[in-house]
Amino acid sequence: GRPARAGVSERGWCRGRTTQGPRAAGLTFAMTFQVELVSPEAISYSGEAEMIIARTLEGGDIAFQPGHVPFIGVLAVWSVDVVRPDGNRDTIAVHQGFVQVAGTRVSILSDVSEPSADIDVERARAAKGNAEAALTTDRNNAESAGALARAELRLRVAGADA
C-alpha cells in the first residue's frame, strides 16, 4: 500500500490555488443581499448590504454575509448594524424580534426599531432616569429592567452614552 501522507490533500491540490473551488467552476456568489427591517408601523430599513451584525439570544453576536446558510433566530434588545456596499454602517436599535436569512434576503421583524437618526436623546435619558428610579425601589421589577435596557440601547445607538 501507499504510505500515509499527513497534511497533503488527496488530489494534490494546493490550498492557495485559484483554480479550485466554486470560483474555478464559474460559480460566483452575490456580494450583497437585500435587507428589510420591518416593524408593525412601517418598514424601518430597506436596502442592500454586504454584512449584517445582530445579537441573538441563543448565540450572541452573529454576522451574516452573502451566501450564509438559512437561519432563523430570536434577537436580543440590542443594535443591528448594516454594512452597506460603500462601506458605511447604519445602526438600528432593535427591541427584540426575529431575524431570518434566506438566500439573498435578510428579514428582521421587530416590535420596535429605531434608526440612530430617529432617536430622541432627551426622551431616552428621561426614560433611563425613570427606570433607574423604579429599580431603586424594586430591584426585581422586570418591566423597569427592560425599560432601562431599551433606554440604554437608544442612547448607545444615538451616540449619546450616558
Side-chain angles (χ1 to χ4, degrees):
R2 290 179 24 189
R5 298 176 359 172
V8 178
S9 62
E10 199 169 304
R11 295 182 187 166
W13 287 2
C14 294
R15 287 184 178 224
R17 188 183 298 168
T18 58
T19 59
Q20 64 189 38
R23 293 186 198 277
L27 302 174
T28 58
F29 296 104
M31 297 311 290
T32 63
F33 45 37
Q34 181 66 30
V35 179
E36 274 197 347
L37 203 152
V38 181
S39 65
E41 296 85 35
I43 295 175
S44 302
Y45 185 92
S46 180
E48 293 286 314
E50 285 186 345
M51 183 168 51
I52 305 292
I53 305 165
R55 182 167 289 183
T56 62
L57 292 178
E58 305 89 16
D61 289 354
I62 186 166
F64 304 105
Q65 292 183 305
H68 197 283
V69 297
F71 178 86
I72 295 177
V74 179
L75 294 173
V77 175
W78 200 250
S79 59
V80 171
D81 291 318
V82 179
V83 180
R84 297 189 315 244
D86 63 5
N88 290 323
R89 186 180 289 227
D90 294 322
T91 302
I92 301 143
V94 175
H95 303 184
Q96 292 187 319
F98 299 92
V99 60
Q100 177 184 18
V101 179
T104 59
R105 180 177 208 84
V106 175
S107 300
I108 298 171
L109 309 172
S110 176
D111 287 340
V112 177
S113 60
E114 301 168 287
S116 57
D118 293 351
I119 294 174
D120 183 345
V121 174
E122 291 309 313
R123 186 172 151 244
R125 284 191 176 126
K128 181 181 179 189
N130 292 340
E132 288 172 336
L135 285 171
T136 58
T137 59
D138 181 7
R139 292 189 100 26
N140 296 323
N141 186 335
E143 187 175 320
S144 296
L148 178 61
R150 290 187 299 272
E152 288 175 340
L153 170 62
R154 286 182 179 117
L155 291 170
R156 187 178 60 76
V157 168
D161 293 280

